[in-house]
Amino acid sequence: MSETTTNQDPAEIAKSAKKKLAELSSKGKLTPKERLAIEPQLMPVQYPVKRRKNINEVALGYSAEQAQIEAMRCIECKNAPCVDGCPVRINIPGFVKAIAEGDFSSAINIIKENNILPAVCGRVCPQETQCQEKCTVGKVLKDTEKSVSIGRLERFAADIGRETGAMKTPTVKPETGKKAAIIGSGPAGLVVAADLRREGHSVTIFEAFHKPGGVMVYGIPEFRLPKKIVRQEIDALTAMGVKIVTNFVIGKTRKLMDLIEKDGFDAVFIGTGAGLPKFMEIEGENLVGVFSANEYLTRANLMKAYDAKADTPIYNSHKVVVLGGGNVAMDAARTAVRLGAEEVLLLYRRTEKEMPARTEESAHAKEEGIQFHMLTNVKKFIGDEYGILSKLECLRYELGEPDSSGRRRPVEITNSEFIVEADTAIVAIGNDSNPLIKQTTQGLSVNKWGNIITDENQKTSINKIYAGGDIVLGAATVILAMGQGRTAAKAINKILAK
Amino acid sequence: MNKILSKQQLSENVFKIEVETPLIASERKPGQFIILSLDDNYAERIPLTIADADESKGCITLIFQVVGATTKKLSYLNIGDTIDNVVGPLGKPAHIGKVGTVVCVGGGIGAAPLYPIAQGMKKAGNHLITIIGARTKDIVILENEMRKISDELIICTDDGSYGRKSLVTEPLKELCEKNPPPNLVVAIGPPIMMKFCSETTRPFNVPTVVSLNTIMVDGTGMCGGCRVTVGNKTKFVCVDGPEFDGHQVDFDNMMKRLNTYKRREKSRFEEECKLDTQINKLKGN
Ligand SMILES: Cc1cc2nc3c(=O)[nH]c(=O)nc-3n(C[C@H](O)[C@H](O)[C@H](O)COP(=O)(O)OP(=O)(O)OC[C@H]3O[C@@H](n4cnc5c(N)ncnc54)[C@H](O)[C@@H]3O)c2cc1C
Ligand SMILES: Cc1cc2nc3c(=O)[nH]c(=O)nc-3n(C[C@H](O)[C@H](O)[C@H](O)COP(=O)(O)OP(=O)(O)OC[C@H]3O[C@@H](n4cnc5c(N)ncnc54)[C@H](O)[C@@H]3O)c2cc1C
Ligand code: SF4
Ligand code: SF4
Ligand code: FES
């Protein structure tokens, strides 16, 4: 089990937290030493055996008392190193203090100044390598897992703010008459939309899918990020007057330059994500039963294949092999478990230490019975006489010299081939960038991976056109995409102010 | 938006509808398709070719065959109803140019996607020979439309109830044996038909274009569900196609992939059919 979560009954936890809070409050203002002595609050989660069979959220959220106690652990550092770790620079000490004082509505409104998707970020940010990595409390206690749980507190503030209606719709300045178009409704696009709209510009988001949200709706599963929450965060944008046009593919329904030349948009932001699944280019990859994680997850999430009411089918799997070691691989494996697979194996070329997935997610995956096989990769997919996947020929690896990324390079061990039987394989080895816009826009510079090249203000090689998020960074994170969106919005607001 | 402006039943299981989508109508080119779904929550996304478009009316024509749950539900919609989601035009446009003699072969519902391409080929100044094939007379579609644009029209039925009693590959072979053989063949229909058309033209080295109808989800290159093997390389039908060189396509793999969800789709379809009988009972049919 993950060190920072607990399977205990949430009601019990809340009860003991209540007692503890009363005890702490009776002490008056706490000294830093007293704060450091407070035990980190564990996140209650659904019991593994139970959650294997449902699609509901795994982490259940702090109770109000738990949140207050956790917030009291913050020693209110003057230089607030945690803020430097947050790509959108939330006023962390400020909102944490508000929670400690029980002023939850101030907490959410402080967060909202810098982050329009707090309920999302509080759930999916890799906090342990961002804000929480820098936290002084973790440093003093020599364990990042003991840092103040900034993400969980952010989630708490967002959830309670939403439930109580404390979250204010950001004010919008008087209409300027300027028009901006945003392509893609993932986190990057949404941030730009909010920031431009606040300044009074008219903003239209064009989204290829029938629902806005990008990876937050089609990739990250319900059990980690309930779609209702994404929907509500997006509703806050429409309440500000942002227009969202779905079923609209830029490059197909309309060309990028037409937005400027014919439709009168004064600026465009491209936030189309990294949606082109990579395959391994090995034998048997197109057999029936071999899927990209994107396809598997889209069927399960966006198209709701987990629900018997959905028309979209999903493959009926007994034994699933997932290839990869990132968040996407974890999500695919955990989804397969929930869709009824009896056995799920995860194969990764390196060791658990190099795995890019968040430790909490891989710990949860293991609790759910997913078998990790490290230093292993597939060499070819083998089908039966009907062209349906029946087994994988795999190879063992060992770690060699560090490569350019500083991680030790996996080297295959000769003659180590062995067979794994499986009816389903899910390839989760990453995404390249989608070429639709590049192909239909002259003069748009991209690098050799197809990522759009921008300057430090996120401006592309074409005037008035900006880009950010995964289409620029390659597959990254929600908050980094938002950080780039913020930078782009600042630059766009500047040119629109002229 | 997406309002159904007209509806016509072409044969027992084939319907033709005009849908109001002004932007798609003006941007689309022959060979492209749309993806539609009937609601935001539980509906499936299915691809259909844009069989024709009328820019002045701002509408596109779709011709579809009822084969499963979604096409069945689509067939229930009437004039004035709207389709919740229509996105397009997707895929690369067909390559249309003047090459000389072009043989367009349409099998079954394949005549629908073939029509705009045949139209384009004729407009480009080619000598157009069209072959349409169907199981039986009642399900021959677009005969008049095709006759209007073709220099020569050959109709084949499997059971001989109309036109020639043969598979489309027979007249195709005869045309290839002529001197000179056709400059280009475009074959669209069930995968098995496209496979045999490609096999027919291969010995004659007649370039053969096919339009593939794989299973799709997004239609924008995001999921890889539509992938096929072409010349030993993996291609995505939705963005690299739907047109490919028939001599390079691994049809056997494609046909197997099309059956990925067969069992589940069948049960879904049976549910819809039950619903159909109930509706008919209610209507007193
Ligand atoms: C399964 C999975 C799990 C992940 N887990 C995490 C996690 O736990 N934590 C984390 O921080 N990050 C996670 N990520 C990464 C994170 O989701 C992405 O980095 C982030 O969503 C990128 O945001 P974006 O705005 O750049 O693009 P996206 O979220 O990819 O959104 C792009 C949008 O643009 C639309 N679009 C594309 N092309 C066009 C076009 N031509 N016209 C119109 N619209 C178009 C797409 O349909 C999509 O909706 C995960 C990713 C995946 C796939
Ligand atoms: C680019 C493209 C263009 C197309 N154009 C047309 C068109 O103009 N008119 C038309 O009638 N159909 C067309 N199709 C096929 C159409 O998309 C399918 O018939 C439809 O998805 C079936 O949906 P359903 O829910 O009714 O049936 P389902 O329940 O999904 O399937 C019923 C049966 O059809 C098979 N099937 C599923 N998808 C396809 C498919 N893509 N092609 C062939 N068989 C399939 C299934 O294996 C199953 O046996 C096109 C497909 C593609 C990829
Ligand atoms: S947005 Fe992410 S990085 Fe920033 S404070 Fe919240 S959890 Fe930390
Ligand atoms: S670094 Fe940690 S202890 Fe310091 S202000 Fe930030 S959250 Fe509080
Ligand atoms: S349909 Fe998803 S990539 Fe083609």
Side-chain angles (χ1 to χ4, degrees):
Chain A
M1 185 168 77
S2 165
E3 306 279 322
T4 65
T5 62
T6 172
N7 294 329
Q8 253 183 314
D9 177 19
E12 285 297 317
I13 302 172
K15 216 158 96 193
S16 54
K18 210 169 199 162
K19 238 197 265 159
K20 177 85 187 166
L21 180 62
E23 198 184 296
L24 289 169
S25 308
S26 68
K27 290 190 187 169
K29 192 165 164 59
L30 300 173
T31 64
K33 208 170 152 206
E34 282 170 319
R35 293 180 187 274
L36 286 169
I38 304 174
E39 279 292 308
Q41 291 297 300
L42 302 182
M43 171 64 97
V45 296
Q46 266 200 79
Y47 199 62
V49 180
K50 196 172 133 203
R51 69 178 193 247
R52 276 177 61 99
K53 299 204 174 68
N54 69 46
I55 201 83
N56 303 338
E57 196 170 9
V58 170
L60 301 168
Y62 280 156
S63 68
E65 292 82 9
Q66 269 192 298
Q68 270 181 275
I69 300 172
E70 183 64 26
M72 287 175 171
R73 300 183 58 237
C74 169
I75 54 173
E76 297 170 26
C77 323
K78 275 213 185 63
N79 55 344
C82 50
V83 177
D84 293 329
C86 170
V88 295
R89 301 192 63 82
I90 292 178
N91 174 0
I92 296 170
F95 96 79
V96 172
K97 186 160 187 240
I99 294 182
E101 290 166 354
D103 182 1
F104 303 146
S105 62
S106 301
I108 186 57
N109 289 313
I110 294 172
I111 297 172
K112 274 264 170 172
E113 283 166 20
N114 289 310
N115 186 358
I116 56 151
L117 304 172
V120 173
C121 292
R123 286 173 166 82
V124 307
C125 258
Q127 295 113 12
E128 60 283 357
T129 60
Q130 296 179 350
C131 50
Q132 289 171 205
E133 185 178 42
K134 300 253 158 84
C135 172
T136 318
V137 172
K139 292 254 151 71
V140 174
L141 300 175
K142 297 198 173 59
D143 184 354
T144 12
E145 292 212 337
K146 297 212 162 103
S147 293
V148 175
S149 286
I150 302 166
R152 290 170 179 178
L153 291 174
E154 184 175 346
R155 164 186 168 157
F156 169 80
D159 287 356
I160 200 152
R162 198 176 55 244
E163 283 154 21
T164 59
M167 211 149 19
K168 291 182 215 139
T169 304
T171 44
V172 172
K173 291 190 184 156
E175 300 292 335
T176 61
K178 295 278 171 62
K179 273 171 65 176
I182 316 274
I183 311 173
S185 60
L190 295 179
V191 167
V192 179
D195 284 2
L196 299 184
R197 183 64 196 137
R198 265 193 262 252
E199 292 304 307
H201 307 307
S202 149
V203 176
T204 308
I205 301 180
F206 295 102
E207 167 57 49
F209 265 127
H210 55 282
K211 266 188 203 161
V215 171
M216 298 183 291
V217 296
Y218 75 71
I220 306 179
E222 181 74 17
F223 58 84
R224 276 213 297 136
L225 180 62
K227 302 307 149 223
K228 198 172 124 208
I229 287 171
V230 181
R231 179 77 244 171
Q232 283 165 329
E233 304 227 53
I234 292 172
D235 284 346
L237 280 186
T238 31
M240 288 169 72
V242 170
K243 283 170 262 177
I244 302 182
V245 182
T246 50
N247 297 314
F248 204 105
V249 185
I250 301 295
K252 289 287 174 187
T253 315
R254 200 102 182 108
K255 305 277 183 295
L256 176 64
M257 290 318 286
D258 286 347
L259 295 176
I260 301 232
E261 287 158 9
K262 298 186 183 155
D263 303 336
F265 285 100
D266 301 294
V268 178
F269 174 80
I270 310 173
T272 48
L276 187 81
K278 276 194 209 161
F279 285 95
M280 302 168 138
E281 290 170 33
I282 57 174
E283 199 181 321
E285 201 150 46
N286 294 341
L287 289 169
V288 174
V290 183
F291 300 91
S292 75
N294 281 3
E295 179 182 0
Y296 196 76
L297 289 169
T298 302
R299 285 178 182 273
N301 290 317
L302 182 74
M303 309 310 291
K304 294 201 176 74
Y306 59 81
D307 192 324
K309 284 195 286 247
D311 283 338
T312 303
I314 197 148
Y315 206 56
N316 188 4
S317 311
H318 300 280
K319 187 165 171 191
V320 180
V321 172
V322 177
L323 304 153
N327 283 322
V328 184
M330 294 305 146
D331 284 345
R334 299 175 70 193
T335 300
V337 164
R338 283 160 176 79
L339 290 172
E342 288 126 40
E343 238 185 303
V344 181
L345 275 58
L346 186 121
L347 267 50
Y348 183 54
R349 279 190 313 159
R350 304 176 200 239
T351 70
E352 244 184 282
K353 214 174 90 217
E354 286 84 22
M355 228 161 57
R358 297 184 60 195
T359 33
E360 185 175 324
E361 304 306 335
S362 45
H364 280 161
K366 279 191 191 162
E367 284 173 26
E368 288 163 12
I370 290 151
Q371 305 162 31
F372 283 38
H373 293 260
M374 297 295 114
L375 293 168
T376 308
N377 202 2
V378 60
K379 190 177 162 193
K380 76 177 187 214
F381 299 100
I382 303 168
D384 64 10
E385 70 264 42
Y386 307 106
I388 298 172
L389 178 73
S390 60
K391 40 191 182 243
L392 291 81
E393 185 176 316
C394 300
L395 263 181
R396 298 221 192 270
Y397 282 68
E398 59 191 355
L399 289 185
E401 296 299 306
D403 62 13
S404 57
S405 71
R407 296 190 298 178
R408 290 178 65 191
R409 191 198 305 271
V411 190
E412 55 178 75
I413 303 176
T414 38
N415 298 326
S416 65
E417 284 86 352
F418 65 103
I419 296 285
V420 175
E421 290 190 12
D423 52 47
T424 308
I426 304 174
V427 183
I429 57 164
N431 283 307
D432 284 331
S433 50
N434 192 306
L436 270 188
I437 291 192
K438 155 76 190 134
Q439 277 169 3
T440 50
T441 312
Q442 260 187 8
L444 187 65
S445 303
V446 301
N447 67 15
K448 66 175 170 183
W449 298 282
N451 298 324
I452 297 179
I453 299 172
T454 64
D455 66 9
E456 68 284 2
N457 293 321
Q458 305 301 130
K459 190 180 145 306
T460 68
S461 52
I462 306 177
N463 254 340
K464 301 185 188 174
I465 306 212
Y466 293 72
D470 281 4
I471 186 70
V472 171
L473 291 162
T477 62
V478 168
I479 196 71
L480 284 174
M482 292 176 68
Q484 289 209 326
R486 165 113 324 148
T487 309
K490 212 162 136 194
I492 298 173
N493 274 330
K494 215 181 241 168
I495 61 164
L496 293 186
K498 276 181 201 152
Chain B
M1 274 265 274
N2 306 343
K3 202 199 290 188
I4 298 180
L5 301 180
S6 75
K7 177 179 176 182
Q8 207 185 329
Q9 186 159 8
L10 301 186
S11 75
E12 191 191 344
N13 282 321
V14 178
F15 293 82
K16 172 173 158 182
I17 54 177
E18 281 181 305
V19 186
E20 188 176 30
T21 56
L23 264 182
I24 301 177
S26 66
E27 289 284 321
R28 76 95 208 193
K29 299 213 166 54
Q32 289 188 298
F33 61 96
I34 53 103
I35 284 191
L36 63 80
S37 79
L38 298 174
D39 76 59
D40 279 355
N41 282 314
Y42 295 108
E44 169 178 46
R45 295 167 61 95
I46 67 159
L48 293 174
T49 306
I50 303 169
D52 205 349
D54 184 334
E55 239 190 288
S56 61
K57 264 166 72 185
C59 70
I60 56 170
T61 303
L62 304 175
I63 298 180
F64 63 93
Q65 181 170 20
V66 174
V67 295
T70 305
T71 42
K72 180 107 224 171
K73 284 182 200 163
L74 186 62
S75 75
Y76 294 151
L77 296 185
N78 285 314
I79 296 173
D81 291 343
T82 57
I83 300 173
D84 272 14
N85 302 295
V86 180
V87 57
L90 301 171
K92 292 203 170 127
H95 294 278
I96 286 176
K98 185 165 177 193
V99 290
T101 299
V102 178
V103 181
C104 283
V105 191
I109 187 74
L114 184 67
Y115 178 65
I117 298 174
Q119 220 179 5
M121 288 296 180
K122 179 67 199 169
K123 252 192 222 149
N126 294 294
H127 181 78
L128 177 66
I129 304 173
T130 305
I131 307 176
I132 40 185
R135 246 182 313 111
T136 184
K137 176 170 194 259
D138 296 342
I139 53 176
V140 171
I141 57 166
L142 296 174
E143 182 188 345
N144 292 334
E145 287 84 348
M146 288 291 196
R147 194 176 301 282
K148 247 183 245 159
I149 58 170
S150 308
D151 295 291
E152 209 179 309
L153 177 72
I154 304 165
I155 295 177
C156 312
T157 51
D158 294 6
D159 63 0
S161 52
Y162 192 49
R164 197 169 151 173
K165 179 176 188 310
S166 80
L167 297 173
V168 288
T169 41
E170 262 184 45
L172 180 61
K173 181 152 184 259
E174 290 158 15
L175 289 167
C176 288
E177 282 161 347
K178 276 197 180 152
N179 196 4
N183 301 83
L184 178 71
V185 171
V186 181
I188 309 182
I192 190 79
M193 177 215 111
M194 293 193 277
K195 174 183 168 173
F196 283 108
C197 286
S198 303
E199 289 313 320
T200 303
T201 57
R202 193 193 300 274
F204 301 97
N205 279 326
V206 176
T208 301
V209 168
V210 292
S211 179
L212 303 184
N213 55 339
T214 48
I215 293 174
M216 293 189 176
V217 183
D218 57 303
T220 60
M222 194 280 288
C223 75
C226 62
R227 68 194 192 279
V228 286
T229 315
V230 182
N232 284 323
K233 288 219 168 69
T234 294
K235 297 276 175 192
F236 288 8
V237 172
C238 68
V239 285
D240 301 322
E243 263 192 6
F244 292 97
D245 174 355
H247 295 153
Q248 302 277 326
V249 173
D250 180 347
F251 283 103
D252 295 332
N253 175 251
M254 179 193 156
M255 286 187 270
K256 284 170 190 150
R257 289 183 60 81
L258 268 175
N259 286 333
T260 304
Y261 300 104
K262 196 138 202 168
R263 208 176 324 138
R264 144 90 205 226
E265 300 281 22
K266 199 161 160 254
S267 69
R268 215 67 208 163
F269 186 48
E270 280 158 5
E271 269 170 44
E272 277 305 317
C273 291
K274 261 188 237 149
L275 189 73
D276 208 17
T277 356
Q278 278 166 8
I279 292 176
N280 281 336
K281 264 193 207 140
L282 285 175
K283 281 186 189 155
N285 289 354

